[in-house]
Amino acid sequence: MKELVFGHKNPDTDAIVAAKAYAFLQNALGNEVEAVALGTPNEETKFVLEHFEEPAPRVIEKAAPEVEAVMLVDHNEEQQSVADIADVTVTHVVDHHRIANFATAAPLYYHAEPVGCTSTIIYGEFVQNNVEIPDKLAGLMLSAIISDTLLFKSPTTTAKDEAAAKALAKIANVDFEAYGLEMLKAGTNLASKTEEELITADAKSFDMGGKTVRVDQVNTVDLDEVFAREAALREAIEKQSAAEGYDLFLLMVTNILDSNTRLLVVGEPKEMVEKAFEKELVADKVDLPGVVSRKKQIVPQLEAAFNA
């Protein structure tokens, strides 16, 4: 019976690549699995797919019209998944995030590790199952690890991520440092993006203390270039929050060159942000030196503030 595998909504490079990699592995193991996506690739992912001459996966809005069962990669939370996730059976999850808002009626295969990237975990499954990784797929998986770890600068990076990346770079015959910097810079080309696209491209929703908290991350090489559009960004956030029911919206603007983030905070309760980072907001903004990871340096701190 055919299954679909996909990453989270507003997919990043790992969400797209992990689905492709896991579909390849599952098919090699004798299953019928197709990789799909819950959104179109962002600029960085487009660069990766074009570099390795790989087509983008088709985009779906619902899974149940096509299949009875699905596999999830790079997420598990219901609000980050396909719209009709409750109408299908989840048979597999491979993820590196917290487990929340997730339940199944039947047993399943669940592989989670506290590493920097889902593709790192999937690389381990290729090795474990003695399945050879084609050079093109190795390049894609390397790209996902570079993306999620910001070329190993993120505090989410582990020794497993670095070892997997180096092994994949060897298979793909890629100078991962030179390629990685070029790839990350490709994702910071923001001039052609509308404010709506900027606040949506890498956004995830979280339930905290009964509030819906939205956290979007934009990578750049120039914070001032992004904040020159602050008024328009704020207007777009307020409009989207009203339409979608977000209580608190954090826009993380991260400089990938010096590993610093500036937050723009819209909505309430703003005091939770000040409590989480022990800093006062000035005009709804705060600088967070050394902060680059939503998963490790933003979400847990906010959750702790809401739950205190």
Side-chain angles (χ1 to χ4, degrees), residues 4-5 55 59 73 101 124 136 146 150 153 171 173 196 206 219 241 248 256 265 267:
L4 299 178
V5 57
V59 176
V73 292
N101 304 317
K136 181 190 292 188
I146 290 170
L150 287 177
K153 288 182 179 179
I171 296 170
N173 193 27
E196 175 70 19
F206 303 90
N219 289 337
S241 294
L248 185 65
I256 63 170
V265 183

Short mmCIF file of all heavy atoms in Angstrom, two decimals, residues 4-5 55 59 73 101 124 136 146 150 153 171 173 196 206 219 241 248 256 265 267:
data_model
loop_
_atom_site.label_atom_id
_atom_site.label_comp_id
_atom_site.label_asym_id
_atom_site.label_seq_id
_atom_site.Cartn_x
_atom_site.Cartn_y
_atom_site.Cartn_z
N LEU A 4 2.66 8.35 1.62
CA LEU A 4 3.32 9.62 1.34
C LEU A 4 4.21 9.97 2.52
O LEU A 4 3.88 9.67 3.67
CB LEU A 4 2.30 10.74 1.12
CG LEU A 4 1.33 10.57 -0.06
CD1 LEU A 4 0.35 11.74 -0.08
CD2 LEU A 4 2.07 10.47 -1.38
N VAL A 5 5.33 10.62 2.24
CA VAL A 5 6.20 11.12 3.31
C VAL A 5 6.42 12.61 3.06
O VAL A 5 6.63 13.03 1.93
CB VAL A 5 7.54 10.35 3.38
CG1 VAL A 5 8.30 10.40 2.06
CG2 VAL A 5 8.40 10.90 4.51
N PRO A 55 14.44 17.72 -9.08
CA PRO A 55 13.14 18.40 -9.14
C PRO A 55 12.55 18.62 -7.76
O PRO A 55 12.79 17.82 -6.83
CB PRO A 55 12.28 17.44 -9.97
CG PRO A 55 12.91 16.10 -9.76
CD PRO A 55 14.38 16.35 -9.63
N VAL A 59 3.44 19.48 -4.37
CA VAL A 59 2.86 20.02 -3.15
C VAL A 59 1.45 19.49 -2.96
O VAL A 59 0.66 19.46 -3.91
CB VAL A 59 2.83 21.57 -3.20
CG1 VAL A 59 2.15 22.15 -1.96
CG2 VAL A 59 4.25 22.11 -3.33
N VAL A 73 8.47 13.47 8.49
CA VAL A 73 9.88 13.78 8.77
C VAL A 73 10.00 15.24 9.19
O VAL A 73 9.21 16.09 8.76
CB VAL A 73 10.80 13.51 7.55
CG1 VAL A 73 10.90 12.02 7.26
CG2 VAL A 73 10.33 14.27 6.32
N ASN A 101 1.68 17.80 21.04
CA ASN A 101 0.44 17.78 20.25
C ASN A 101 0.45 16.65 19.24
O ASN A 101 0.08 16.82 18.08
CB ASN A 101 0.24 19.12 19.53
CG ASN A 101 0.25 20.30 20.47
OD1 ASN A 101 -0.36 20.24 21.54
ND2 ASN A 101 0.95 21.36 20.10
N GLY A 124 22.02 7.94 9.28
CA GLY A 124 22.29 6.80 10.15
C GLY A 124 21.45 5.59 9.79
O GLY A 124 21.92 4.44 9.89
N LYS A 136 24.05 12.28 -5.78
CA LYS A 136 23.14 13.43 -5.81
C LYS A 136 22.37 13.54 -4.49
O LYS A 136 22.24 14.63 -3.91
CB LYS A 136 22.16 13.30 -6.97
CG LYS A 136 21.19 14.48 -7.08
CD LYS A 136 20.08 14.25 -8.09
CE LYS A 136 20.56 14.19 -9.50
NZ LYS A 136 19.42 14.15 -10.48
N ILE A 146 23.85 21.35 6.51
CA ILE A 146 24.45 22.70 6.51
C ILE A 146 23.39 23.73 6.84
O ILE A 146 23.62 24.66 7.63
CB ILE A 146 25.08 22.99 5.13
CG1 ILE A 146 26.33 22.14 4.93
CG2 ILE A 146 25.43 24.48 5.00
CD1 ILE A 146 26.89 22.19 3.51
N LEU A 150 23.48 25.81 10.28
CA LEU A 150 24.16 27.04 9.85
C LEU A 150 25.66 26.79 9.71
O LEU A 150 26.49 27.51 10.27
CB LEU A 150 23.88 28.18 10.83
CG LEU A 150 22.47 28.78 10.78
CD1 LEU A 150 22.31 29.86 11.83
CD2 LEU A 150 22.15 29.32 9.40
N LYS A 153 27.52 26.24 12.97
CA LYS A 153 27.61 27.34 13.93
C LYS A 153 26.48 27.31 14.96
O LYS A 153 26.57 27.94 16.02
CB LYS A 153 27.58 28.70 13.20
CG LYS A 153 28.85 29.03 12.44
CD LYS A 153 28.74 30.40 11.80
CE LYS A 153 30.00 30.78 11.04
NZ LYS A 153 29.88 32.12 10.40
N ILE A 171 30.93 11.50 -0.41
CA ILE A 171 30.15 10.77 -1.42
C ILE A 171 29.78 11.70 -2.58
O ILE A 171 29.87 11.33 -3.75
CB ILE A 171 28.86 10.19 -0.79
CG1 ILE A 171 29.21 9.15 0.27
CG2 ILE A 171 27.97 9.57 -1.88
CD1 ILE A 171 28.01 8.70 1.10
N ASN A 173 31.28 14.44 -3.41
CA ASN A 173 32.46 15.12 -3.94
C ASN A 173 32.27 16.64 -3.92
O ASN A 173 32.41 17.33 -4.93
CB ASN A 173 32.77 14.64 -5.36
CG ASN A 173 34.15 15.08 -5.82
OD1 ASN A 173 35.06 15.29 -5.01
ND2 ASN A 173 34.32 15.23 -7.13
N GLU A 196 4.77 39.63 3.31
CA GLU A 196 3.99 38.43 3.60
C GLU A 196 4.84 37.18 3.42
O GLU A 196 4.79 36.24 4.24
CB GLU A 196 2.75 38.37 2.69
CG GLU A 196 1.92 37.11 2.81
CD GLU A 196 1.16 37.00 4.13
OE1 GLU A 196 0.97 38.03 4.80
OE2 GLU A 196 0.77 35.88 4.48
N PHE A 206 3.24 27.42 17.84
CA PHE A 206 3.39 26.65 19.08
C PHE A 206 2.29 27.04 20.05
O PHE A 206 1.91 28.20 20.14
CB PHE A 206 4.76 26.92 19.72
CG PHE A 206 5.92 26.64 18.83
CD1 PHE A 206 6.45 27.63 18.00
CD2 PHE A 206 6.50 25.38 18.79
CE1 PHE A 206 7.53 27.37 17.16
CE2 PHE A 206 7.57 25.11 17.96
CZ PHE A 206 8.09 26.11 17.15
N ASN A 219 16.82 34.59 7.67
CA ASN A 219 18.28 34.68 7.68
C ASN A 219 18.74 35.79 6.75
O ASN A 219 18.19 35.97 5.66
CB ASN A 219 18.91 33.36 7.24
CG ASN A 219 18.75 32.26 8.28
OD1 ASN A 219 18.58 32.54 9.46
ND2 ASN A 219 18.81 31.02 7.85
N SER A 241 -1.78 37.80 11.85
CA SER A 241 -2.15 37.34 13.20
C SER A 241 -3.66 37.44 13.40
O SER A 241 -4.28 36.55 13.99
CB SER A 241 -1.42 38.16 14.26
OG SER A 241 -0.02 37.92 14.21
N LEU A 248 0.72 35.88 19.80
CA LEU A 248 2.05 36.49 19.92
C LEU A 248 2.89 36.05 18.73
O LEU A 248 2.97 34.86 18.43
CB LEU A 248 2.71 36.04 21.23
CG LEU A 248 4.05 36.65 21.60
CD1 LEU A 248 3.92 38.15 21.86
CD2 LEU A 248 4.63 35.96 22.84
N ILE A 256 23.58 35.47 9.64
CA ILE A 256 24.29 34.20 9.59
C ILE A 256 25.80 34.36 9.62
O ILE A 256 26.53 33.39 9.83
CB ILE A 256 23.88 33.38 8.34
CG1 ILE A 256 24.27 34.12 7.05
CG2 ILE A 256 22.40 33.05 8.37
CD1 ILE A 256 24.13 33.27 5.80
N VAL A 265 8.76 41.81 18.04
CA VAL A 265 7.68 41.14 18.77
C VAL A 265 6.37 41.90 18.56
O VAL A 265 6.29 43.09 18.84
CB VAL A 265 8.01 41.06 20.27
CG1 VAL A 265 6.92 40.29 21.01
CG2 VAL A 265 9.37 40.40 20.49
N GLY A 267 2.06 41.60 19.21
CA GLY A 267 1.01 40.87 19.90
C GLY A 267 1.26 40.82 21.40
O GLY A 267 2.15 41.48 21.92
#
